[in-house]
Amino acid sequence: MFFWKKIKDRKPKGKGLDRLGTSLQTNLYWFKNDIFMDDASIIYRRFRSQPPHSRDCILIYADNMTNSDFLSQYVVRPFMNRTLPKGASGQELADYIMESVIQGDQVDCSQSFVHLSDAIARGLGVVLVEGCDYGVTVEAPGWDRRTITEPQAESVVRGPRQGFTENLGVNINLVRRIISSPNFKIKHLQVGLQTKTKVAIVYVETIASTALVDEVVKRIENIQIDAILESGYIQELIQDGPNFSLPTIGSTERPDIVAGKILEGRVAVLVDGTPFALTMPYLFVEAFQANEDYYNNWLAGTFRRVLRYISFLITTSSPALYLSLISYHPQLIPTPLVLSIAAARKNVPFPGFVEVVGMGLVFEILREGGVRLPQPIGQAISIVGAIVLGDAAVNASLVGAPMIVVVGLTAISGFVVSSIYDPAVLMRLFLVLMASVFGLHGYVIGVMAIVLQLSSMQSFGVPYLSSLISFSSQGMKDTFVRLPWWRMVLRPRYLGAKNRERLRSKSRSKSP
Amino acid sequence: MNLRVPKIIAILFLSLLLTGCWDYKEIEFLDFVMGFGVDETDDGLVLVSEMVVSTGTGQEAQLEPLVLSTMSRSFATATRALDNPAGMEAFYPHAQVFLVSEEVATSGVLPAIEYLVRGRDMRTTVPFLVTKDCTVEEVFNSKPPFLTSVSEHLANTTRLQSGLSIFYAQQIWEFVKDMIAIGLSGTLPTVQLVHKGKDMVPIVKGTAVFKLDRMVGWLDGEESQIFCLLKGLPQSGRFVMETQIEEERYAITYEFVNNATKISPKMDGDQLSMEIEVELEFDVPEIGAAGIDFHDSAIVRSMEEQLAHYFNRRVRELITRIQGEFNSDILGFGQLVRRKEPKLWRRHADDWDTHLRQLRVNTEVRTKIVLTGVRAYPLIPRR
């Protein structure tokens, strides 16, 4: 986008490119031959207003970004059917055009080339009139959108089947349709010097703490980057450190999750161009909560939640435990098992460490290879993985059969906590390294190091492990367990919500 | 970066140096000892160990036992010397059983068990047995009918103690605890070889009685049953007793359901005596052709009296052997006296052996039939 630089370069030279002149010819010249030079997608529609005193007008817009039917019907036609006031110019004329001619919802005017060219690039129509040094912008969005579908990565058995799209307005509406209250607030910001990406901060005014909202706004306003292509950019730029560990900002594609989180007092950030919304603060327990926990029976939700914690332990620890048991503490394995593991490893040429790291790596490669492939080729990958690497590797004595079991168990349980899959892989590797050097002692030290690090982390001022280490009954109600709704009377304390009451105690009806 | 993080990391890593057992061993280079034992020859002791050799992998994997032995002057050197014929490091923590031969037991087991207690990679939670009329090597070379490994066979058998009721199972630590206790002597179960067709099969039966660390005699299976009762071990063993029902004698099978034994020293003036009260409850799983109707309380009472008499006699016989023939305090009379009558014990501690021989022991056995299987009426064949 060269024009930005050019405009900036020429700015000090005076009127030249800073503001529109009264001559339509000159203004058009600058648009055509400088700002949008070599850009074939910009349409210049010439027309004349109704005589007498008919004036030359021009409508500039980007092809396929705008609804051209709307522009010709509600912009061009009224001009052709109407006489512009004689001798009017400047602000006066612009106001007349906005108030009496153009039949659109969002109309604005500007003198600045920068604003007008930005508007065209964003998909607005711009009307220039002979003798007027203002340009009038009309919003007429007309690009194609993806329809609202269920997100593939977060599908549910029970729950709404809507997912965010790439359109910010649609996404905000999806949340607003859930929280239909005037307390639902949206703050708009623009981030990205080149992309000028629209960002919306949404929260519930009567619940979310003002300090939290201000902090989020401040952090996003601080961002000075050329492009925001996905909410991940913002996530990495505003999240609390350290960045190699578990995420301190959540991301989701589901409006119901966003609504649930902001109703607890969190703040969500929606970014134009991506279906992934950010929620903050994001704590450790949230990685183990799923929206379905709250829709299904509370006992089932609790069971699944405990299952997720166990899976997290398995996926981070099982290779390290296996390694330390077979390499350092064979006396801790039950006798029949130790004999069969020893027999299975008899002809394996590698030490346990190489086997564990190697198989872990192979699995991650298989997964990475399969993720981005179309379905039919993906099946080929799984066949290669299952038969070639699993069965054949054991038969060829490259790895022991117990190792395949460990890798399989690790992988499957990793998918159970998919939102923290990647951090879990890194933790697993760290623990394997510790276990390979120091056995079980190393494993325990590694776990201690991880726990220490997690307890020192914060997300927007909230301790990362809060509610796991507080033993108040209201604090624990939504961590390891999911208590029934009639027991979750208050919102979580650690979010500092203004209004903590979530449910009136008489809400539960019973048969007399 | 401030110095806090490096400091924490340094402390974490330094704490590793404080840990004791840190030893890198790849599992496939270990030779898992399933069971081991000590024989004695004129030149020194012989360590015999049963290893497992695995052949094939995956589903075809087979574990073959392999018996190796090595002669050495001490047990600790023998455990290392064994690595040489094995070609791999012998790994003892998975051992299932530890045996000593009759000769070793008679000349004192202390040299054989000291390393087990002191050694770094030994476990004392292992069943401990004495071989009778055979060497340890012969036992390990015998052929148990189901399991390939003799050690596994013996370890499983010792778990059946309460049902078999013919030996008193001991683990190494239990024997050591009794051996070093004041006023108590240890016992060990014995393993013997019996012919089953062409093969020799090891069976566990009877008890070896120790005094200090030397074996002084044997109890047979039936005496071991009484010994278990007096030790207060829960029993579910069965035995047959000739029982007089009205005019006839029948061989009726009884099963222990419950036993409560109380041994207490009693002072009568200056005279010390031991009071043994045994309370037994029985099930009657089999009455043969006796045709007893258990609703007849007179018959039941007569059976209970006969049982009391029978056990009283057997207890007295056992105590006579312990006092006279073995003169070994395996029932822990000395320990009880020391606890209850410490003054008296201090006077007699030095010549307790003599006192034990002359100690007056009163026995009282109370019996009760509490169960009759699931049937109270007899099976009577009718025309």
Side-chain angles (χ1 to χ4, degrees), chain B residues 172-246:
Chain B
I172 295 171
W173 68 273
E174 291 171 314
F175 177 77
V176 170
K177 190 185 70 160
D178 288 357
M179 186 181 76
I180 62 176
I182 297 171
L184 181 62
S185 291
T187 59
L188 287 176
T190 56
V191 52
Q192 303 166 27
L193 289 179
V194 294
H195 282 282
K196 280 273 147 60
K198 288 181 298 185
D199 295 330
M200 301 294 273
V201 176
I203 60 162
V204 184
K205 187 179 183 181
T207 304
V209 177
F210 281 75
K211 185 170 183 179
L212 303 177
D213 72 326
R214 286 161 202 271
M215 191 184 80
V216 290
W218 308 97
L219 299 179
D220 65 13
E222 291 193 353
E223 286 167 327
S224 299
Q225 185 175 58
I226 303 298
F227 176 64
C228 289
L229 287 181
L230 294 181
K231 277 283 193 181
L233 219 61
Q235 295 289 306
S236 58
R238 289 172 180 172
F239 61 96
V240 177
M241 187 184 83
E242 290 286 327
T243 314
Q244 186 89 24
I245 304 288
E246 284 157 355

Side-chain angles (χ1 to χ4, degrees), chain B residues 178-373:
Chain B
D178 288 357
M179 186 181 76
I180 62 176
I182 297 171
L184 181 62
S185 291
T187 59
L188 287 176
T190 56
V191 52
Q192 303 166 27
L193 289 179
V194 294
H195 282 282
K196 280 273 147 60
K198 288 181 298 185
D199 295 330
M200 301 294 273
V201 176
I203 60 162
V204 184
K205 187 179 183 181
T207 304
V209 177
F210 281 75
K211 185 170 183 179
L212 303 177
D213 72 326
R214 286 161 202 271
M215 191 184 80
V216 290
W218 308 97
L219 299 179
D220 65 13
E222 291 193 353
E223 286 167 327
S224 299
Q225 185 175 58
I226 303 298
F227 176 64
C228 289
L229 287 181
L230 294 181
K231 277 283 193 181
L233 219 61
Q235 295 289 306
S236 58
R238 289 172 180 172
F239 61 96
V240 177
M241 187 184 83
E242 290 286 327
T243 314
Q244 186 89 24
I245 304 288
E246 284 157 355
E247 299 304 309
E248 300 258 350
R249 288 181 78 80
Y250 296 97
I252 293 180
T253 310
Y254 299 90
E255 180 179 324
F256 295 105
V257 176
N258 216 341
N259 73 313
T261 302
K262 204 175 154 199
I263 306 177
S264 49
K266 192 177 163 197
M267 289 298 284
D268 190 8
D270 209 20
Q271 184 69 35
L272 175 72
S273 63
M274 301 301 292
E275 303 290 323
I276 301 182
E277 291 167 54
V278 186
E279 262 188 64
L280 298 171
E281 289 179 355
F282 295 97
D283 183 5
V284 187
E286 207 178 292
I287 54 171
I292 305 163
D293 183 348
F294 282 95
H295 293 94
D296 187 343
S297 60
I299 292 181
V300 175
R301 208 171 306 127
S302 136
M303 290 167 80
E304 287 173 348
E305 274 164 20
Q306 290 178 58
L307 279 166
H309 184 74
Y310 172 73
F311 274 98
N312 205 359
R313 180 171 54 82
R314 285 182 59 189
V315 169
R316 292 222 64 86
E317 279 169 10
L318 177 66
I319 288 177
T320 311
R321 278 197 85 189
I322 290 173
Q323 283 186 298
E325 188 184 335
F326 306 135
N327 192 25
S328 165
D329 200 353
I330 53 174
L331 288 172
F333 290 160
Q335 198 176 43
L336 290 167
V337 173
R338 183 166 174 255
R339 278 183 201 154
K340 298 275 169 62
E341 307 286 345
K343 278 183 193 159
L344 186 78
W345 171 257
R346 251 173 269 145
R347 261 191 318 201
H348 295 317
D350 291 338
D351 54 349
W352 179 248
D353 286 353
T354 331
H355 278 273
L356 181 67
R357 214 180 275 279
Q358 295 154 357
L359 193 63
R360 183 216 282 273
V361 180
N362 302 318
T363 54
E364 191 191 341
V365 180
R366 285 190 290 275
T367 53
K368 200 169 172 133
I369 292 172
V370 291
L371 288 169
T372 59

Side-chain angles (χ1 to χ4, degrees), chain A residues 48-56 83-84:
Chain A
R48 291 177 72 82
S49 67
Q50 174 95 347
H53 332 299
S54 82
R55 298 195 195 205
D56 279 334
T83 315
L84 294 177

